[in-house]
Amino acid sequence: MAVFSVFQTTFFLALLSLRTLQSEVLSEPLPWAPESLKVSINSTHQCLHLQWSVHNLAYHQELKMVFQIEISRIKTSNVIWVENYSTTVKGNQLLHWSWESQLPLECAKHFIRMRSAVDDATTPEQRFWSNWSSWEEVDVQNSLGHEPLFVFPKDKLVEEGSNVTICYVSRSQQNNISCYLEGVRMQGQQLDPNVSMFNLHNVAFIRETGTNIYCKVDRGDDIKGIVLFVSKILEEPKDFSCETRDFQTLSCTWDPGRDTGLLKQLPQSYTLFESFSGKKTLCKHKGWCNWQVAPESQEMYNFTLTAENYLRKRSVHILFNLTHRVHPMAPFNVLFKDVSVTNATMTWKVHSTGNYYTLLCQVELYGEGKVIQKHNVSVKVNGELVLSGLEPDTEYSAQVRCANANHFWKWSEWTRQNFTTVEAAPSEAPDVWRNVKSVQGYCVVTLFWKPLSRLQANGEILFYNIVVEDLDRPSGLQLLSVPAPANRTELTLDQRAYQIHVTANNSVGTSPASVLVVSGDPGDEEVEEERVKGTEDGFSLSWKPQPGNITGYIVEWCDRPRDPLCDLQWKHLGPNTTSTVISSDAFRPGVRYNFRIYGISTEMVPYLLEKKTGYSQELAPSDNPRVVMSNLTSHSFTLSWKDYSTESQPSFIRGYHVYLKSKAGQCHPGSEKAVLSDDSVCCKYKIDDPKQKMFVVGNLQPESFYEFLVTPYSAVGEGPHGAFTKVTTPDEYSPMLIRIILPMIFCILLIMILCYLKSQWMKEKCYPDIPDPYKSSVLSLIKSKENPRLTIMNIKDCVPDTIEVVNKHEGTGKSPTEPEAAKPTYLYLLPAEESYSGPGPCICFENFTYNQAASDSASCGHVPVPTKAPSQLGLLTSSENLLTALEKNCMNSLEEIPAGESSLNYVSQVASPVSGDKSSLPTNPPQPELCSEYKMQMAIPLGLAAPSSSGSSSLSSITLLDEGEHYH
């Protein structure tokens, strides 16, 4: 135990001595420390470039050394980067090292120092670090200038997805500055009072012109910005391949991939390097490059293609044998010789690739746009191939290509050439059919034929020959030539049997004849028509087999049955065929197609077997019938639509629906309620027979309003629900009244006609004309000495003395106790002389103009004329007294007055007497006891109205007497 303690003490003392020695050695400087450290700046790439040297190293001495480099930011204690740089150092050699800063160098101060250590096996004792060199300060802000705001870095170029640091430098600490990326404000970190930085992560490509970043002072006009160019990542070339076509040049191609988007700011280059020869070439094109084959016939090649730009480098490799990458050039000088109806010889030439190489050539023959033959031929210089099995007068196209027969790499391009075989006579007879009609005792035959196909015609058809042979007279032949491309002709024949031969002709010869027999019978046999249903594939038709000798069948139809030229079609079938499917691109939904099936006898005479009709697809009826209403009564009316055609409808009509609307809404037996599309309710009658085109609507109410509609229906629906027709039933008794009123109207019209014819007689009997004074016989009684012709009163001859009008007050001048009846009003002639005391002769008449009640009076009279003034007369005498006196002395007629004793003047309703020659008046006129009465007209004897024979007195006054007032 004591020995162990002594040994341990000795070991610790030795270790302590070794450490003391080591400390002394380390305290001495190493002889190969870095010296003359210089730092430069590359602002474009934001790099620090260091340069230094190692002294005390012999000129031929080389040492492997390690240099440890420290970089601090803002202050020396803030170390941001430490890196060990190893290199081999020679005597008096300048060493270089670069460092790229993520933060723009203009945004902060940087400090750099380094130390070294020997890392060489030849000097194991020198493996300790030297002392640090002094700090080298880099401050770019001092060289920025005096502008108030700076943004860095300038025009930086980065790849898509990179991280970028942006900063700004402000000369004033008081400014509040905001920075924006494409208009979006960024959040940053302040490095010192004048500097802030912004970290952008995973930047994206926005546009070729770059991404805009700017900073501005919030309360000022200072704004600064930069453009950050973001490039798409350079892709690795794809599909890199090399080949030769002539063993002199290698052509290498590749797919460069997508563009980086910054071709101007960031150009990319492609370099081709061959490792066996050590040659290198810069490619001028983006996707391909040529390489000259070595004259020493190098067969193996190892190429490296490098795509490079400022930010990235990509490479691909390829190794191949030259003889395995041969891509022959296209054959040339392709010719055809010895071309016949069915054969042709094809020749071509290929580019020489040497006597040791054989090419495999492939030939393809095209007919009607598709490959019909393929051939492989081995060729060294010239190629030849015989093409057989061709069709006459047919255009063909042949093409050839070649490839390396020993080591196939690629086919050459195709070389194509066309040729046409020569013509031959038509090989098939035309397909002929006919349409027979009987017109005015003649048989009109329309011949149809289908053009021969190209394979059948064997050339261009020029014309068709038609030979018509009369079977009753074999010597009678008719020859008709129809130029192509016509496909029909019309023949007018007698009612006999004829055999028709049709042939097609081209420039070489004539086709076999197509024979058809036409009998005098047009063949319109009555055959029951059968309905068939079409599908998408067409119409499936079948018929019963015919007994006896038959050579075949023909099915006839029209592709366009609604057109005047229906485009007649037919199909030939063999004698053992009893069914077929008729299809056509012309078939349309909603169109009825009619098919006729004919049998062809051994004598080539066709006869009708069956008729079939149908639709490829039935549609609902397109229109409704035009309905005529008749026999309208109070309880029924009749509907008819006889002109409605069911043949033109888009489906088979199965019947009709009659819709009836009424306000009552009640449906009678035989009908059912139906709800229309507009939710209205009506009664529906169903007619199951499509041939029935008349219907009687009964059980109606008199004087009721109805609406009706008739629409057809089929298996797929009914016709459109259009406008309803309105009708109102008449009154139940209206017909009886009509039977009575019409005869009455007739009788009245007859009576009116008779009355019109006897109008003169009726006028004279019922309402005679007013008498004409000039024609009146009364005028013959009036005699005038001075003017015997004067027979009518003239106003200039009227000299009245006084006119007194006496009438009653209307409204207020009447006592309530007075009777309601109005008194008659009269016109009186009174003498104007005061000395006149004789009896008062007068002529009076009723004045209906002033008092209609006067018509009730039966007579008029006269009163004695007093000697007082006329004004007093009206006051002393009332109308009642005058009326009493007049009634006593009324004279019934003027006929009692002698014609020779007095003269008369005509007086109208106003009763104005007219004076004639006063000297002619009789001196002693007779005194009539009665007055004359005439209600409408009045003849007045002047003698009665005259006062005396003195002649000096004036005409007597005319006084109108009535109750109430008088006027002078």
Side-chain angles (χ1 to χ4, degrees):
M1 189 67 182
V3 175
F4 177 75
S5 298
V6 172
F7 178 76
Q8 185 176 12
T9 302
T10 304
F11 176 76
F12 279 114
L13 289 175
L15 182 60
L16 181 60
S17 299
L18 181 60
R19 288 189 171 236
T20 302
L21 179 62
Q22 181 178 2
S23 299
E24 293 177 356
V25 172
L26 290 176
S27 62
E28 298 179 359
L30 288 177
W32 301 293
E35 297 178 357
S36 304
L37 177 61
K38 295 181 180 180
V39 181
S40 59
I41 300 173
N42 187 343
S43 297
T44 303
H45 300 92
Q46 296 296 321
C47 290
L48 292 176
H49 295 289
L50 278 63
Q51 177 181 311
W52 71 96
S53 62
V54 178
H55 295 273
N56 301 325
L57 189 61
Y59 180 74
H60 298 289
Q61 185 179 4
E62 292 185 0
L63 287 178
K64 292 184 64 176
M65 299 185 67
V66 178
F67 298 92
Q68 189 175 64
I69 304 170
E70 280 189 356
I71 300 176
S72 299
R73 181 175 291 162
I74 302 176
K75 54 185 179 180
T76 57
S77 61
N78 183 23
V79 178
I80 61 171
W81 190 268
V82 177
E83 183 177 335
N84 292 333
Y85 171 63
S86 299
T87 185
T88 300
V89 181
K90 297 180 181 179
N92 298 326
Q93 180 183 4
L94 292 178
L95 302 177
H96 298 272
W97 181 80
S98 296
W99 174 74
E100 182 178 358
S101 175
Q102 294 296 323
L103 178 69
L105 299 176
E106 294 86 353
C107 298
K109 293 180 180 180
H110 289 80
F111 301 90
I112 302 98
R113 69 175 181 175
M114 66 169 56
R115 61 182 179 177
S116 63
V118 177
D119 189 18
D120 200 319
T122 59
T123 57
E125 69 279 2
Q126 298 293 335
R127 294 188 179 179
F128 303 102
W129 290 109
S130 68
N131 294 332
W132 288 102
S133 64
S134 59
W135 288 101
E136 292 291 333
E137 180 180 351
V138 178
D139 189 1
V140 187
Q141 293 184 6
N142 296 329
S143 60
L144 293 181
H146 302 286
E147 296 184 12
L149 183 63
F150 300 91
V151 181
F152 299 101
K154 301 287 187 181
D155 300 332
K156 188 174 181 62
L157 185 62
V158 296
E159 274 189 336
E160 191 175 28
S162 303
N163 299 328
V164 182
T165 301
I166 308 297
C167 74
Y168 71 83
V169 178
S170 176
R171 294 303 187 184
S172 175
Q173 300 181 7
Q174 314 233 342
N175 291 334
N176 188 9
I177 300 173
S178 301
C179 294
Y180 300 87
L181 170 65
E182 291 291 333
V184 179
R185 186 171 181 176
M186 301 183 295
Q187 300 297 327
Q189 176 184 358
Q190 191 171 13
L191 298 179
D192 60 39
N194 295 332
V195 179
S196 291
M197 71 174 187
F198 305 89
N199 293 320
L200 304 181
H201 301 282
N202 194 20
V203 293
F205 174 84
I206 296 179
R207 65 180 71 89
E208 293 183 1
T209 56
T211 303
N212 297 320
I213 300 173
Y214 63 93
C215 299
K216 66 177 182 178
V217 179
D218 291 347
R219 296 183 179 179
D221 298 332
D222 295 332
I223 181 171
K224 292 292 182 179
I226 62 171
V227 177
L228 178 65
F229 293 98
V230 180
S231 168
K232 296 179 182 178
I233 298 176
L234 178 65
E235 292 185 351
E236 183 180 275
K238 303 177 182 64
D239 302 328
F240 180 42
S241 175
C242 296
E243 62 184 23
T244 182
R245 310 199 72 170
D246 54 5
F247 289 95
Q248 295 180 4
T249 304
L250 272 171
S251 178
C252 297
T253 59
W254 62 89
D255 178 13
R258 67 172 183 173
D259 293 332
T260 59
L262 300 176
L263 297 180
K264 294 182 180 179
Q265 299 84 358
L266 188 64
Q268 57 194 47
S269 62
Y270 292 89
T271 303
L272 196 59
F273 174 73
E274 204 282 308
S275 60
F276 292 125
S277 63
K279 295 180 180 181
K280 184 177 182 181
T281 183
L282 180 63
C283 299
K284 298 180 181 180
H285 303 280
K286 186 178 179 180
W288 60 274
C289 190
N290 289 333
W291 183 273
Q292 296 298 321
V293 176
E296 58 271 15
S297 300
Q298 177 184 346
E299 290 189 0
M300 297 301 298
Y301 288 86
N302 185 10
F303 282 108
T304 299
L305 177 64
T306 302
E308 183 179 6
N309 62 16
Y310 170 75
L311 300 175
R312 190 179 291 270
K313 181 186 294 186
R314 295 292 182 92
S315 299
V316 290
H317 306 274
I318 187 174
L319 176 66
F320 61 89
N321 190 313
L322 181 63
T323 59
H324 298 173
R325 297 295 181 98
V326 179
H327 183 192
M329 288 188 287
F332 63 99
N333 200 19
V334 177
L335 300 174
F336 295 92
K337 61 182 181 180
D338 300 333
V339 179
S340 64
V341 175
T342 57
N343 297 325
T345 301
M346 177 181 178
T347 62
W348 68 94
K349 293 182 180 181
V350 295
H351 295 274
S352 177
T353 56
N355 297 328
Y356 302 100
Y357 295 97
T358 302
L359 297 179
L360 176 65
C361 294
Q362 186 180 71
V363 178
E364 289 183 349
L365 181 64
Y366 281 79
E368 296 183 350
K370 59 184 179 182
V371 178
I372 58 176
Q373 293 183 18
K374 277 188 178 183
H375 304 277
N376 292 328
V377 182
S378 295
V379 177
K380 286 191 175 182
V381 179
N382 298 326
E384 183 175 326
L385 177 66
V386 176
L387 300 174
S388 59
L390 307 180
E391 298 293 338
D393 190 44
T394 303
E395 184 179 0
Y396 293 95
S397 177
Q399 62 182 13
V400 58
R401 64 181 179 178
C402 300
N404 190 350
N406 299 324
H407 302 283
F408 179 82
W409 168 242
K410 284 182 180 180
W411 288 106
S412 69
E413 292 81 7
W414 288 103
T415 301
R416 181 184 289 258
Q417 190 67 32
N418 298 335
F419 71 98
T420 303
T421 56
V422 298
E423 291 187 4
S427 59
E428 297 289 339
D431 188 358
V432 181
W433 187 234
R434 91 292 179 272
N435 185 20
V436 182
K437 294 181 180 179
S438 181
V439 179
Q440 297 180 356
Y442 290 92
C443 184
V444 178
V445 180
T446 303
L447 288 178
F448 301 90
W449 57 86
K450 296 179 181 179
L452 295 176
S453 66
R454 185 186 56 79
L455 298 178
Q456 296 171 345
N458 295 335
E460 183 183 1
I461 300 298
L462 303 178
F463 57 90
Y464 295 89
N465 281 334
I466 301 172
V467 178
V468 181
E469 179 183 2
D470 191 343
L471 296 181
D472 297 336
R473 294 183 299 174
S475 60
L477 295 178
Q478 297 181 17
L479 178 62
L480 180 64
S481 181
V482 180
N487 62 350
R488 70 179 63 190
T489 188
E490 189 173 284
L491 304 174
T492 302
L493 307 175
D494 295 331
Q495 296 287 347
R496 294 196 297 269
Y498 291 87
Q499 189 176 65
I500 302 175
H501 302 258
V502 181
T503 58
N505 299 265
N506 61 12
S507 60
V508 177
T510 302
S511 71
S514 180
V515 181
L516 190 66
V517 175
V518 177
S519 62
D521 185 8
D524 295 333
E525 297 87 352
E526 291 296 332
V527 178
E528 184 178 356
E529 190 175 64
E530 180 185 352
R531 291 183 178 181
V532 293
K533 185 176 182 180
T535 62
E536 295 180 356
D537 299 329
F539 292 89
S540 179
L541 306 179
S542 61
W543 55 91
K544 298 178 181 179
Q546 298 299 309
N549 295 328
I550 190 169
T551 61
Y553 299 94
I554 290 182
V555 180
E556 174 192 279
W557 74 95
C558 285
D559 271 351
R560 295 174 178 84
R562 295 180 179 178
D563 296 344
L565 298 176
C566 70
D567 192 8
L568 183 66
Q569 302 292 325
W570 65 93
K571 183 177 181 180
H572 280 276
L573 299 169
N576 298 324
T577 304
T578 58
S579 64
T580 186
V581 176
I582 303 299
S583 60
S584 174
D585 294 335
F587 288 160
R588 295 291 181 267
V591 178
R592 181 180 293 189
Y593 296 95
N594 300 315
F595 301 90
R596 291 190 174 194
I597 302 172
Y598 292 86
I600 308 298
S601 65
T602 55
E603 292 82 11
M604 305 303 294
V605 178
Y607 56 94
L608 182 63
L609 298 178
E610 295 183 15
K611 292 182 180 180
K612 298 181 184 295
T613 183
Y615 296 86
S616 60
Q617 180 183 350
E618 289 191 80
L619 303 177
S622 58
D623 58 350
N624 294 330
R626 297 180 61 182
V627 181
V628 177
M629 184 187 67
S630 60
N631 300 332
L632 177 62
T633 66
S634 58
H635 296 286
S636 67
F637 56 84
T638 302
L639 304 178
S640 61
W641 52 96
K642 297 181 180 180
D643 297 335
Y644 186 67
S645 174
T646 60
E647 299 291 331
S648 59
Q649 294 302 311
S651 57
F652 291 115
I653 301 301
R654 295 189 174 184
Y656 302 93
H657 288 157
V658 179
Y659 292 95
L660 184 66
K661 289 183 181 180
S662 63
K663 293 183 179 179
Q666 296 180 355
C667 296
H668 298 282
S671 65
E672 59 182 9
K673 282 192 175 182
V675 180
L676 302 179
S677 58
D678 58 353
D679 296 333
S680 60
V681 179
C682 61
C683 299
K684 182 174 74 173
Y685 298 87
K686 187 175 182 181
I687 302 174
D688 295 328
D689 185 6
K691 296 181 180 180
Q692 178 183 342
K693 298 182 180 181
M694 181 178 293
F695 184 75
V696 177
V697 182
N699 298 322
L700 305 180
Q701 297 297 323
E703 294 184 292
S704 299
F705 178 75
Y706 295 92
E707 294 180 80
F708 66 86
L709 173 68
V710 179
T711 179
Y713 71 89
S714 63
V716 294
E718 61 180 359
H721 286 179
F724 279 67
T725 303
K726 301 176 181 179
V727 61
T728 301
T729 55
D731 184 9
E732 189 173 5
Y733 303 101
S734 295
M736 185 183 299
L737 293 177
I738 290 175
R739 287 194 293 269
I740 296 175
I741 291 175
L742 286 179
M744 291 179 64
I745 293 175
F746 177 76
C747 293
I748 292 173
L749 289 175
L750 183 60
I751 293 173
M752 291 177 65
I753 292 172
L754 293 175
C755 290
Y756 176 77
L757 296 177
K758 298 293 183 177
S759 59
Q760 188 63 29
W761 181 82
M762 293 290 294
K763 182 177 180 181
E764 293 176 356
K765 295 299 181 183
C766 297
Y767 48 93
D769 293 337
I770 297 174
D772 189 351
Y774 291 101
K775 299 178 181 181
S776 177
S777 61
V778 180
L779 295 178
S780 62
L781 300 178
I782 302 175
K783 303 292 184 178
S784 176
K785 295 180 180 181
E786 296 178 0
N787 190 2
R789 296 182 179 178
L790 182 62
T791 58
I792 301 300
M793 177 188 70
N794 291 325
I795 296 177
K796 65 181 180 177
D797 298 328
C798 179
V799 184
D801 287 342
T802 303
I803 298 176
E804 183 174 353
V805 178
V806 179
N807 56 11
K808 63 184 178 181
H809 287 286
E810 294 183 5
T812 59
K814 183 176 179 181
S815 174
T817 60
E818 292 177 358
E820 295 292 334
K823 302 302 181 185
T825 302
Y826 300 93
L827 299 178
Y828 298 93
L829 300 181
L830 302 177
E833 295 180 357
E834 298 180 357
S835 60
Y836 179 76
S837 60
C842 71
I843 299 298
C844 66
F845 66 93
E846 295 173 338
N847 190 346
F848 300 122
T849 303
Y850 294 100
N851 195 339
Q852 186 66 27
S855 61
D856 299 333
S857 178
S859 64
C860 64
H862 66 277
V863 294
V865 179
T867 59
K868 295 181 180 180
S871 60
Q872 297 177 358
L873 178 65
L875 298 175
L876 297 174
T877 305
S878 64
S879 60
E880 289 82 355
N881 296 330
L882 291 174
L883 181 60
T884 304
L886 289 173
E887 290 176 353
K888 294 179 180 180
N889 299 287
C890 181
M891 182 174 60
N892 295 325
S893 176
L894 290 176
E895 294 179 356
E896 299 178 0
I897 300 174
E901 294 179 359
S902 62
S903 63
L904 297 176
N905 276 350
Y906 178 79
V907 179
S908 67
Q909 291 282 353
V910 295
S912 298
V914 178
S915 175
D917 189 0
K918 298 182 180 181
S919 61
S920 63
L921 296 175
T923 57
N924 295 315
Q927 302 294 326
E929 296 180 358
L930 297 174
C931 294
S932 176
E933 177 184 4
Y934 188 73
K935 293 183 178 181
M936 300 299 295
Q937 305 177 63
M938 180 61 62
I940 305 175
L942 297 178
L944 296 178
S948 66
S949 61
S950 61
S952 61
S953 63
S954 62
L955 183 68
S956 62
S957 300
I958 299 175
T959 306
L960 302 176
L961 299 179
D962 200 350
E963 295 179 0
E965 296 181 358
H966 63 277
Y967 299 88
H968 296 282

